[in-house]
Amino acid sequence: MTAQLDSFYPTRVDFGTLDEIHRAAAAVLPAEVLDFVEGGAGKEITLRENLLAFDRWRILPTPMSGVGTPSTRTEFLGMPLQTPLLTAPFGGDALFHPDGHPAVARAAQARGALSVVPEAGSFSYQRVRAAAPRAARIAQVHPFGHAATVAARVARLGYEALCVTLDCPVGGFRTRNMANRFDPDQRHFAGNLTGEDGAPGVAEVFGQLLKRGGMVWDWSELAAAAAGFGLPWIAKGVLTPAAAERALAIGASALVVSNHGGRQVDPAPASLDMLPRIRAAVGPEIPILLDSGIRTGSDVYLALALGADAVVLGRAAIYGLAAAGESGVDRVLELLTEELRTLMILSGAATLAEIDATRITRAAA
Ligand SMILES: Cc1cc2nc3c(=O)[nH]c(=O)nc-3n(C[C@H](O)[C@H](O)[C@H](O)COP(=O)(O)O)c2cc1C
């Protein structure tokens, strides 16, 4: 049994590139699980746009910049980052590797990144936090009736911020899962959805996500719950200036500009395309994370140049996890950081703050 597991879930790493890690993940995951990861909603226009949006920008080389040892350090809501990377909250992590989010968080901690720990993960907030307390500092929650209860529980566990997913009151129209009749074992999503201590059961939340027509919060309901969070909270799934302003008006401390990796509204605009407008609307001081489509260090660079303070890795982290558990995620974080550092040298940016719109240009039409 062990031997079989070892060969199915590799733990050795000699990956040269992020593409190799992606291919290794694709080779190891069962086809319908791979579709669950790779897939988007509808015609998958947004899924494709999220990647293409990065290809429309170019980074300007700066010869003789004198920058030899750039710093990739920053912070997010007072939490230090050695590299501007956070791993995304993704549910069902044990479907990708039995070590799941505890392994993701350990890898993040070793690289000085942060991990956003999902409510619908395979492991509890407590387990993931215990595995890597310097990375597992943000807990994600879906805005259903129990959000304030979750906030109190994760605060007791030592979490410092809550990430509220605004863009998933029901699951998107995920065509690949529908074609596959994808029906994963719900236990993989039940790390926190235990039905105990005020937490809903996994069947209840799955019902809400899948049935379309249940209870969906509005801003005033979120405002009322957020007043009782007792933790700073991050609004995840903001794609318009209007939504950004609404979230900030009811007390959000930071934003994740995101279209959920193309898994919700399709066709929605690429996150990167909406980022400059949102940054302009909220001003320079509000911390902004960007996700949806980050696959390389150049993607990280472009997101920072267009207004993000750091980026969130969904599929890139999942590929690392599936390919080789903790060490796979570690290698993903290393390769992204090293490419970013290389580009900072070549473009003459000594700090992340120096990566701004003057260092990039649109591709020729
Ligand atoms: C398999 C999978 C599961 C996800 N589960 C969640 C979730 O439970 N909660 C959430 O807020 N976002 C979830 N997301 C969205 C990610 O947090 C993130 O927004 C998205 O993956 C970013 O896009 P990228 O994959 O292109 O990096 C999930 C994404 C994937 C791929």
Side-chain angles (χ1 to χ4, degrees), residues 3-246:
Q4 201 184 339
L5 268 184
D6 281 350
S7 60
F8 189 72
Y9 298 109
T11 52
R12 261 182 321 107
V13 177
D14 48 12
F15 297 118
T17 66
L18 290 159
D19 269 347
E20 284 175 26
I21 296 173
H22 187 184
R23 282 199 298 275
V28 80
L29 291 176
E32 61 172 22
V33 175
L34 183 62
D35 268 342
F36 170 59
V37 172
E38 301 279 48
K43 290 156 75 175
E44 300 190 336
I45 291 172
T46 305
L47 184 73
R48 290 190 292 277
E49 272 295 301
N50 281 341
L51 304 184
L52 292 173
F54 290 93
D55 295 348
R56 292 193 279 264
W57 291 96
R58 303 289 180 263
I59 298 168
L60 297 166
T62 300
M64 303 297 111
S65 71
V67 175
T69 54
S71 165
T72 58
R73 286 186 196 188
T74 183
E75 56 91 31
F76 177 67
L77 294 179
M79 297 175 254
L81 286 163
Q82 300 300 320
T83 180
L85 306 175
L86 294 86
T87 60
F90 52 85
D93 37 307
L95 287 168
F96 317 137
H97 191 284
D99 296 346
H101 275 288
V104 174
R106 280 195 301 270
Q109 177 164 294
R111 292 270 159 207
L114 291 169
S115 246
V116 185
V117 180
E119 178 171 38
S122 311
F123 296 85
S124 67
Y125 295 125
Q126 186 164 9
R127 282 279 297 276
V128 184
R129 168 111 186 134
R134 288 198 309 285
R137 298 164 78 161
I138 304 170
Q140 175 267 334
V141 66
H142 291 276
F144 304 135
H146 62 287
T149 317
V150 172
R153 184 175 332 128
V154 300
R156 280 197 300 278
L157 293 171
Y159 283 88
E160 290 158 64
L162 206 61
C163 172
V164 184
T165 299
L166 303 186
D167 61 358
C168 193
V170 297
F173 204 71
R174 311 260 174 94
T175 25
R176 291 197 215 191
N177 294 347
M178 291 154 71
N180 290 335
R181 278 72 174 163
F182 186 53
D183 186 19
D185 186 337
Q186 295 189 1
R187 280 176 309 171
H188 295 311
F189 299 81
N192 296 297
L193 302 171
T194 56
E196 294 162 11
D197 272 347
V202 68
E204 193 184 322
V205 170
F206 258 61
Q208 167 71 19
L209 288 176
L210 299 178
K211 81 181 164 198
R212 305 185 180 100
M215 176 272 317
V216 171
W217 274 11
D218 63 18
W219 289 108
S220 67
E221 287 163 309
L222 177 58
F229 283 166
L231 284 176
W233 63 279
I234 304 154
K236 175 174 186 280
V238 167
L239 210 55
T240 61
E245 283 161 0
R246 272 318 266 282

Side-chain angles (χ1 to χ4, degrees), residues 286-310:
I286 300 296
I288 296 185
L289 305 175
L290 175 123
D291 81 18
S292 301
I294 299 282
R295 300 289 182 273
T296 66
S298 62
D299 297 340
V300 181
Y301 189 108
L302 292 171
L304 298 192
L306 289 168
D309 296 298

